[in-house]
Each structure stands twice: as structure tokens, then as C-alpha cells.
Amino acid sequence: VLGERITFPQGQADLLESFQPTLRGIAAFISTHPGYRILISGHTDNAPINTTTFPSNWELSAARAARVARVLTENGIDPRRVAIHGYAQYSPLFENSTPENREANRRVEIKLTREKG
């Protein structure tokens, strides 16, 4: 689980420069586990967004997942192993009742699942 504070500026899908080495390290780790599929899911809090780039939390969450997927594939992960999901605010970890909970809900998750076969 990658929290927004370390990965993206709030309301954006451009990765923070300081997170790039960590994500490259994650790609290197995943590349040593070729028998796994990678699901990258983006999540937001329930605060609505409405910008030209992101008309809703759906677009923001999907764009963040896609950005992480792109960096992983640019660093040696076979794109055929990767899938993305954008959950917007519909799969929170916590109730969006405090600033801390909303921050925790803004995240990207990387899940490895063993391939069948």
C-alpha cells in the first residue's frame, strides 16, 4: 500500500520525484517473481474533484494506477502481467470522517497474485 503523501501531490497523478527510486526498487523486486500477476489499484477519499484533467475521482484513481503501472513496465515488468483498477472513493480503508482517515484512503495498492498453471 503506497500512501498518497509519499507517491503523488494531492489531486494529481504525477509521481513525486522522491518516490521514483522506491518504485524502481519495487519493480526490481517484482521482476524476481515471474510467476505472479500484478494488480495496481488507485483509490481516493470522498472529496469530489472536478478539474479539466480529472473530472471525477474515477479518472484520478485510474490515472494514478496507470502511472505506477507505466513506471513498473518501463523498469522491466512485462506489461502482460499488469492490470490496473481505479476504485475512486468506493473502496475506502477507513470512514472518511477525519483528515487522517481521508489521507489513508488516498493510496495506490500493488497486489501480486500467483498465476495459475
Side-chain angles (χ1 to χ4, degrees), residues 6-27:
I6 65 166
T7 54
F8 298 98
Q10 190 169 347
Q12 298 180 31
D14 295 322
L15 285 163
L16 293 170
E17 191 63 37
S18 60
F19 183 65
Q20 297 282 342
T22 301
L23 196 50
R24 286 192 294 273
I26 291 170

Side-chain angles (χ1 to χ4, degrees), residues 1-16 18-19 43-45 49 57 60 64 99 102-109:
V1 176
L2 309 171
E4 178 191 60
R5 185 184 315 162
I6 65 166
T7 54
F8 298 98
Q10 190 169 347
Q12 298 180 31
D14 295 322
L15 285 163
L16 293 170
S18 60
F19 183 65
H43 302 266
T44 66
D45 61 18
I49 189 168
N57 284 334
L60 176 58
R64 286 178 168 188
R102 285 190 291 280
E103 181 179 319
N105 288 333
R106 297 188 303 262
R107 67 200 189 279
V108 172
E109 297 178 354

Side-chain angles (χ1 to χ4, degrees), residues 61-117:
S61 64
R64 286 178 168 188
R67 185 66 185 122
V68 169
R70 183 174 176 183
V71 171
L72 293 180
T73 60
E74 289 171 348
N75 284 278
I77 303 301
D78 184 344
R80 294 172 291 193
R81 297 174 56 197
V82 179
I84 64 167
H85 287 172
Y87 287 98
Q89 68 267 26
Y90 300 109
S91 187
L93 292 174
F94 305 102
E95 188 175 324
N96 284 291
S97 57
T98 67
E100 295 78 18
N101 286 1
R102 285 190 291 280
E103 181 179 319
N105 288 333
R106 297 188 303 262
R107 67 200 189 279
V108 172
E109 297 178 354
I110 300 173
K111 181 178 181 181
L112 302 180
T113 306
R114 187 177 299 277
E115 292 182 313
K116 297 179 181 175

